[in-house]
Amino acid sequence: MKIHKLTDSILIEHNGQWYRVQDQSWDEFINDDNLYGQTEALVSGMTAIDNAENLLASSLDAPMQSQELWASGVTYMRSKQGRQEESEKTGGSDFYARVYEAERPELFFKASRHRVVGHGGKVRIRRDSSWDVPEPELVLVLSSSGKIIGYTIGNDMSSRSIEGENPLYLPQAKTYDGCAALGPCILVTQSPLASDTQIQLTISRNQEPIFTGDVEINQIKRGFEELAGFLFRECSFPHGALLMTGTGIVPGGDFTLESGDIVSITVPEIGTLTNQVA
Ligand code: DO4
Ligand code: MG
């Protein structure tokens, strides 16, 4: 089952049929430990609609309202390597090796709603950054009790020049206007995602792919429950939360994003999140 946030309603795709829920707040709808069961019961009493494509084209929104967006770092070997390379000259590389091995994961606050764009929105590069990449990540949708109730796709836009200069600059490398994309929908399943689920990244410039990469989520060093557990240890989330799980795809050192590039991230079970760089 897939749940899409529209600007004025909620669109549900279930068993090949589409249903539109109106007069219902996203925050209240989504924050439900039994989201699959409740939504299935709700749509069983509704009439399917036939204009879902038009609604998606005109009013698809990022699947986030009052939730905070958090992110996990250095959860894949490729992220550890990439960060060690970028911070080697400035002496920060040891921190990444240590956090990869440590019991406590790296978790950081990524963005509130107004810094996030949905599918089709424009992500941004900081004007004071010279080396930038998208980070394609599976995102956990968590209820206020900390339960994983769904999954979406995220782009954790990152400045490698600023983070590489000093790991203490991480909040500036990671958080700025247009720093994240989420969408296109929330996948709600009855059982956890299969471990061979793929995350695929394509970056295109002038209509040509200039970088492609993929990773299976079984390459992650940590469990999703483990990441969610640490996030909820000493933080409450009255409306639930979104947690990016880290990148396993990092382009080589000679690649930097440019204005006009198109970033497409696909998780076949969920869909494709596409954004242009402003
Ligand atoms: O350590 C800095 C952030 C890492 C990150 O965002 C990632 O691994 O995805
Ligand atoms: Mg990341």
Side-chain angles (χ1 to χ4, degrees), residues 27-39 141-150 188-190 232 237 239-240:
D27 286 347
E28 282 170 25
F29 187 84
I30 215 72
N31 186 19
D32 186 338
D33 279 352
N34 182 26
L35 186 57
Y36 188 97
Q38 295 281 18
T39 309
V141 182
L142 302 162
S143 69
S144 54
S145 72
K147 186 173 178 212
I148 300 170
I149 50 173
V188 184
T189 52
Q190 284 173 302
F232 275 69
F237 296 95
H239 302 288

Side-chain angles (χ1 to χ4, degrees), residues 71-75 79 83 108 110 134-137 155-158 174 244-247:
S72 317
V74 199
T75 49
S79 176
R83 286 178 154 97
F108 58 94
K110 175 70 183 174
E135 293 191 354
E137 306 192 11
N155 177 356
D156 171 23
M157 290 285 288
S158 300
K174 291 289 189 176
M244 293 175 151
T245 54
T247 188

Side-chain angles (χ1 to χ4, degrees), residues 4 10 19 24 38 72-73 82 98 105 133 144 179 187 191 199-200 203 219 225 239 244 248-249:
H4 299 76
I10 297 167
Y19 306 89
Q24 168 80 62
Q38 295 281 18
S72 317
R98 284 205 228 166
V133 286
S144 54
C179 67
L187 174 74
S191 43
I199 302 173
Q200 301 156 355
I203 306 171
Q219 295 305 301
E225 306 280 351
H239 302 288
M244 293 175 151
I249 306 171

